[in-house]
């Protein structure tokens, strides 16, 4: 009986191609839309999260002036000096590393190739604070830092562009007018959410950069790595008090420097991605609902149209249960077919969009299962329950149905 | 005298509820013997179709008793009535009621599917039924490719394919011209005579009723009178 009913159901599907295609289409669109949106949403938040973790945690960056991009007309606030760095290191507790950042840009030249790089003059503490390790070579010796030797540690992008086939460590690299011995190669950081490619950096002792590149004793930024066991806010306060004192700011005046906390930035970005995920999930739920209503419509229309068919089947001696089983098999077959096509389309869409959107490719079994399950359920419920109503009519009423 | 195949006693049928209620049958008594060819006549609205639907187990009486082969049909549930239709009854409608986009052969096979017949047997029985109505050459046509008369013959083939005891036809020629109508009547007469099927038929036309052995006249929801032996040549099969 079951077998006969299944052949009956499949025959009906084949006989009503348009109706079947429309039903399947509703499910295909519902499943494909939901799975694609949720997967891309998750991929986006994962990519944002990995960029955030690329910032390092619990790092303070101190810069002259108030905020980024402001300033303009007024008096330029005085730059920091290395004494400020030493004062912070000496007087502030709870910092694991304090390092100056003296920044410059220059062109690195090797053989015939040249490549524009950013230079960061600092100390070994910088790498410790950033938790940035080396692939090969070594960091600066205290003597090199003290003397301002022409030594450098290069980032991965420089290795890729200037040393495609060999190890930079031990070679001499010309950066601007300076011949520089490469003593280390930094580990790949990957792209960072803020401030471009971190891997296109050459790190040198700060004295070298001051002497050979910037030509003054200024320090652009001070990096402070906060011990994770300490609260960041009180440390920021004490640094603020210390710097106000050192910069002779009277009580009535505002700070002429700012302290940025990467933890604050990453928290803000983190809550933004949580919101993004929530929005995407909501949109997905709506599209599932819309898809569901589409399926429901076509099913309701077809059942109205099929009430006469149900009447005929009952009149020639079918038992209500047999008619219902046939409708159920039809609904399950269509829903399963539509669901599978939808999942395949979603897979293709996620795969195809990952590269242009610069997102990681993901396939999440959970959302695939949920979308498939819900669409199939909608298809089955809306195929089955109206049919049950029709099958409960007197055959003669079902036949009279217009 | 033998027991009647079908016996209605005091059957009433009311449609609707309350003030909108309509008493379509007001206490119908009738007996039909096995092998008879019965025509049901009467003015429009007199309850002919209502009675046929009850006899065909497509609808249930409001009150009264309906005995079929000695079984009280009014005491059966939906599924038991379905099984009764499946086993003993064939129905032909004025509007044919064939499944669209389905070949004549598949339409005729349908009752056999629900009877659980094997594919080969289904095919053979359906072809035999189509042969009886003269449509073997049209077995692979769908209803939209057949004329009205041909569609009705497919419907008759479907009604008789499972060798029912009773064939019920509600205005089977209502949608057909007179030549086609006479062909259908000859077909029904032949089935009654050669296969011994009891035929119950509603018709408005006296010309069609002439083919029957018994004529039951309805009026206002009641049986007005019954004529028997219209055609001397037509014996109780
Ligand atoms: N489903 C229904 N709901 C309400 N009233 C109905 C229904 N079916 C029939 N009736 C009413 O019952 C009465 C008898 O109807 P029935 O169809 O039995 O008449 P009939 O003798 O077959 O008429 P006709 O020759 O026009 O086919 C009619 O007045 C009709 O309006
Ligand atoms: Mg009628």
């Amino acid at each position: 009986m079951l077998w006969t009913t299944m052949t009956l159901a499949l025959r009906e599907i084949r006989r009503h191609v348009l109706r079947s295609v429309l039903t399947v289409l509703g499910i295909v669109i519902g499943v494909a839309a939901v799975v694609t949106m949720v997967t891309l949403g998750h991929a986006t938040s994962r990519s944002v999260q990995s960029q955030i973790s690329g910032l390092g945690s619990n790092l303070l960056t101190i810069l002259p002036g108030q905020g980024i991009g402001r300033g303009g007309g007024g008096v330029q606030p005085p730059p920091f000096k290395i004494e400020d760095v030493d004062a912070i290191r000496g007087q502030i507790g709870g910092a694991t590393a304090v390092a100056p950042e003296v920044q410059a840009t220059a062109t690195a030249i090797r053989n015939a190739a040249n490549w524009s790089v950013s230079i960061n003059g600092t100390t070994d503490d910088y790498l410790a604070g950033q938790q940035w390790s080396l692939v090969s070579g070594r960091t600066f010796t205290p003597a090199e830092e003290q003397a301002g030797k022409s030594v450098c540690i290069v980032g991965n992008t420089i290795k890729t562009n200037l040393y495609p086939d060999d190890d930079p460590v031990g070679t001499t690299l010309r950066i601007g007018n300076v011949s520089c011995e490469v003593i280390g190669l930094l580990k790949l950081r990957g792209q960072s959410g803020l401030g471009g490619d971190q891997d296109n950096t050459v790190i040198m002792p700060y004295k070298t950069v001051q002497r050979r590149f910037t030509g003054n004793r200024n320090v652009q930024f001070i990096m402070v790595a906060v011990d994770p066991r300490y609260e960041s806010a009180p440390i920021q306060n004490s640094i603020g008090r210390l710097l106000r004192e050192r910069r002779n700011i009277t009580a009535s005046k505002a700070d002429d420097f700012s302290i940025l906390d990467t933890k604050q930035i990453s928290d803000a970005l983190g809550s933004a991605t949580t919101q993004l995920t929530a929005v995407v999930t909501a949109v997905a739920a709506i599209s599932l609902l819309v898809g569901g209503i589409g399926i429901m419509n076509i099913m309701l229309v077809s059942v109205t149209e099929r009430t006469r068919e149900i009447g005929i089947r009952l009149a020639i001696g079918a038992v209500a249960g047999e008619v219902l089983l046939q409708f159920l098999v039809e609904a399950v077959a269509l829903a399963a077919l539509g669901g599978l096509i939808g999942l395949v389309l979603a897979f293709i869409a996620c795969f195809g969009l990952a590269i242009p959107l610069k997102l990681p490719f993901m396939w999440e079994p959970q959302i695939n299962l949920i979308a498939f399950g819900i669409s199939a359920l909608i298809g089955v419920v809306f195929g089955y329950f109206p049919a049950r109503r029709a099958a409960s009519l007197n055959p003669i009423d079902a036949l009279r149905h217009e | 005298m033998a027991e009647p195949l079908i016996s209605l006693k005091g059957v009433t049928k009311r449609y609707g509820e309350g003030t909108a209620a309509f008493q379509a049958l007001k206490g119908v008594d009738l007996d039909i013997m096995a092998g008879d060819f019965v025509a049901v006549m009467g003015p429009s609205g007199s309850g002919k179709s209502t009675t046929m639907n009850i006899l065909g187990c497509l609808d249930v009486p409001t009150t009264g008793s309906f005995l079929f082969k000695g079984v009280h049909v009014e005491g059966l549930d939906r599924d038991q009535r379905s099984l009764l239709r499946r086993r003993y009854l064939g129905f032909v409608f004025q509007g044919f009621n064939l499944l669209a986009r389905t070949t004549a052969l598949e339409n005729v096979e349908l009752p056999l599917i629900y009877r659980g017949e094997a594919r080969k047997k289904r095919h053979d029985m359906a072809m035999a039924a189509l042969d009886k109505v003269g449509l073997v050459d049209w077995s692979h046509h769908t209803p939209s490719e057949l004329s009205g008369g041909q569609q009705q013959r497919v419907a008759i083939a479907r009604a008789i394919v499972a060798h029912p005891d009773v064939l019920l036809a509600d205005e089977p020629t209502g949608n057909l011209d007179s030549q086609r109508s006479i062909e259908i009547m000859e077909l029904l007469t032949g089935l009654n005579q050669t296969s011994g099927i009891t035929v119950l038929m509603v018709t408005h036309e006296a010309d069609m009723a002439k083919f029957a052995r018994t004529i039951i006249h309805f009026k206002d929801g009641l049986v007005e009178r019954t004529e028997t032996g219209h055609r001397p040549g037509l014996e109780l099969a």
Side-chain angles (χ1 to χ4, degrees):
Chain A
M1 187 61 230
L2 183 68
W3 177 247
T4 321
T5 311
M6 283 187 28
T7 42
L8 266 184
L10 294 182
R11 204 187 283 173
E12 284 305 308
I13 290 175
R14 248 190 299 131
R15 209 167 267 153
H16 301 271
V17 177
L18 183 64
R19 185 174 74 202
S20 309
V21 165
L22 285 177
T23 311
V24 167
L25 202 64
I27 298 177
V28 167
I29 291 172
V31 169
V34 170
V35 172
T36 309
M37 280 205 288
V38 171
T39 307
L40 289 183
H42 283 175
T44 309
S45 35
R46 176 179 292 187
S47 128
V48 170
Q49 251 140 31
S50 78
Q51 291 184 11
I52 290 170
S53 62
L55 291 174
S57 62
N58 272 2
L59 285 179
L60 302 179
T61 301
I62 308 164
L63 56 154
Q66 270 296 311
I68 310 168
R70 236 187 295 166
V75 189
Q76 286 287 319
F80 299 120
K81 303 285 179 204
I82 195 65
E83 291 74 20
D84 296 314
V85 179
D86 294 337
I88 293 172
R89 188 184 295 118
Q91 295 175 39
I92 305 294
T96 53
V98 180
E101 292 187 52
V102 180
Q103 303 208 321
T105 52
T107 304
I109 300 161
R110 180 169 190 256
N111 302 335
N114 48 43
W115 185 250
S116 176
V117 299
S118 46
I119 301 167
N120 193 2
T122 184
T123 61
D124 284 343
D125 282 348
Y126 177 79
L127 295 178
Q130 294 274 348
Q131 298 178 334
W132 200 352
S133 52
L134 300 185
V135 181
S136 61
R138 58 172 180 87
T139 54
F140 308 125
T141 63
E144 283 165 347
E145 282 182 359
Q146 279 308 306
K149 282 271 172 57
S150 287
V151 288
C152 66
I153 304 170
V154 298
N156 189 274
T157 306
I158 293 150
K159 142 108 178 102
T160 312
N161 286 286
L162 296 180
Y163 298 89
D165 307 312
D166 50 341
D167 187 357
V169 176
T171 64
T172 302
L173 180 63
R174 224 180 96 198
I175 302 174
N177 297 323
V178 180
S179 246
C180 192
E181 186 197 347
V182 180
I183 59 166
L185 173 62
L186 288 162
K187 204 172 149 195
L188 179 71
R189 280 224 131 168
Q191 78 189 85
S192 159
L194 308 170
D197 183 3
Q198 290 192 329
D199 294 304
N200 194 25
T201 303
V202 174
I203 293 181
M204 294 188 198
Y206 72 92
K207 275 189 183 159
T208 319
V209 181
Q210 285 177 335
R211 217 175 278 152
R212 315 291 289 268
F213 291 92
T214 64
N216 57 42
R217 304 213 319 116
N218 297 346
V219 169
Q220 271 93 12
F221 308 119
I222 303 171
M223 183 213 74
V224 179
V226 177
D227 188 323
R229 288 166 303 182
Y230 286 73
E231 279 287 326
S232 163
I235 292 177
Q236 288 181 42
N237 287 339
S238 7
I239 293 174
R241 273 195 304 279
L242 175 66
L243 287 178
R244 283 177 74 88
E245 195 181 301
R246 292 183 61 80
R247 292 160 82 85
N248 301 318
I249 301 170
T250 52
S252 60
K253 289 232 177 104
D255 291 352
D256 65 353
F257 57 90
S258 11
I259 303 174
L260 298 183
D261 183 350
T262 50
K263 191 155 185 302
Q264 281 163 7
I265 297 171
S266 75
D267 283 353
L269 284 177
S271 77
T273 40
T274 312
Q275 270 172 359
L276 176 77
T277 311
V279 168
V280 163
T281 310
V283 171
I286 291 170
S287 76
L288 194 59
L289 188 74
V290 171
I293 290 172
I295 301 167
M296 186 177 94
N297 266 344
I298 194 77
M299 287 290 195
L300 281 177
V301 167
S302 88
V303 165
T304 316
E305 170 190 301
R306 299 184 72 179
T307 301
R308 260 167 57 86
E309 175 193 335
I310 292 175
I312 292 172
R313 291 181 186 276
L314 291 173
I316 61 170
V319 172
E322 292 166 338
V323 175
L324 278 183
L325 187 63
Q326 178 202 328
F327 274 68
L328 190 64
V329 171
E330 278 187 52
V332 169
L334 289 179
L337 182 69
L340 284 180
I341 297 177
L343 292 186
V344 171
L345 282 187
F347 184 87
I348 295 172
C350 291
F351 191 78
L353 287 174
I355 293 166
L357 294 180
K358 294 203 170 75
L359 291 175
F361 170 68
M362 301 200 330
W363 187 83
E364 297 177 310
Q366 223 174 329
I367 181 62
N368 279 274
L369 268 179
I370 291 174
F372 182 82
I374 290 180
S375 300
L377 194 70
I378 291 171
V380 170
V381 165
F382 289 107
Y384 180 74
F385 283 96
R388 197 174 74 162
R389 202 188 50 205
S392 71
L393 293 173
N394 260 333
I396 199 68
D397 294 326
L399 279 173
R400 256 195 223 115
H401 194 92
E402 289 302 320
Chain B
M1 190 172 166
E3 279 290 300
L5 177 68
I6 291 169
S7 173
L8 296 185
K9 289 230 160 33
V11 165
T12 69
K13 177 71 186 181
R14 191 170 61 231
Y15 289 114
E17 296 290 326
T19 50
F22 182 82
Q23 195 74 27
L25 298 181
K26 297 169 181 167
V28 171
D29 299 316
L30 61 83
D31 289 331
I32 290 163
M33 305 305 289
D36 205 352
F37 188 149
V38 180
V40 176
M41 298 193 74
S44 190
S46 56
K48 305 182 295 292
S49 295
T50 305
T51 307
M52 283 298 266
N53 293 338
I54 289 172
L55 291 176
C57 299
L58 298 173
D59 209 347
V60 285
T62 309
T63 63
S65 86
F66 169 18
L67 274 175
F68 179 78
K69 285 179 173 270
V71 174
H72 278 278
V73 176
E74 73 274 10
L76 302 180
D77 66 20
R78 288 170 52 74
D79 285 355
Q80 288 170 320
R81 276 184 275 125
S82 275
L83 296 175
L84 204 69
R85 286 197 293 277
R86 178 185 298 189
R87 177 69 190 81
Y88 298 110
L89 304 175
F91 219 106
V92 177
F93 304 89
Q94 180 178 354
F96 317 143
N97 278 328
L98 298 174
L99 288 187
R101 278 168 281 202
T102 305
T103 64
L105 181 63
E106 288 171 321
N107 263 294
V108 174
E109 278 187 354
L110 213 53
L112 302 174
I113 290 179
Y114 290 113
R115 285 172 62 127
E117 303 291 0
R119 175 191 286 266
K120 175 85 173 71
K121 186 160 181 213
R122 265 190 344 238
H123 181 264
D124 293 348
M125 287 173 79
M127 286 310 279
L130 283 172
D131 188 29
K132 278 194 190 140
V133 300
L135 282 181
V136 170
D137 294 340
W138 301 85
S139 62
H140 289 291
H141 289 67
T142 59
S144 59
E145 298 162 352
L146 296 171
S147 72
Q150 288 171 326
Q151 287 185 55
Q152 193 60 301
R153 283 194 276 162
V154 173
I156 291 171
R158 184 180 66 188
I160 60 164
V161 69
H163 306 304
D165 288 15
V166 183
L167 178 67
L168 300 110
D170 192 350
E171 300 192 44
T173 59
N175 283 349
L176 304 177
D177 65 39
S178 58
Q179 185 52 43
R180 254 23 76 192
S181 300
I182 287 169
E183 285 171 20
I184 295 291
M185 294 319 297
E186 281 167 350
L187 184 56
L188 293 182
T189 310
L191 289 169
N192 175 250
Q193 289 296 293
T194 57
S195 313
I197 297 175
T198 307
V199 179
L200 291 179
M201 168 189 78
V202 174
T203 182
H204 273 143
E205 297 157 88
D207 287 350
M208 303 301 133
K210 274 186 203 143
F211 285 87
R213 189 181 151 276
T214 304
I215 301 181
I216 301 176
H217 292 270
F218 268 72
K219 195 176 179 193
D220 284 341
L222 287 168
V223 176
E224 190 189 34
R225 67 197 155 87
T226 304
E227 296 172 65
T228 318
H230 244 257
R231 289 183 71 180
L234 206 60
E235 294 308 320
L236 212 60

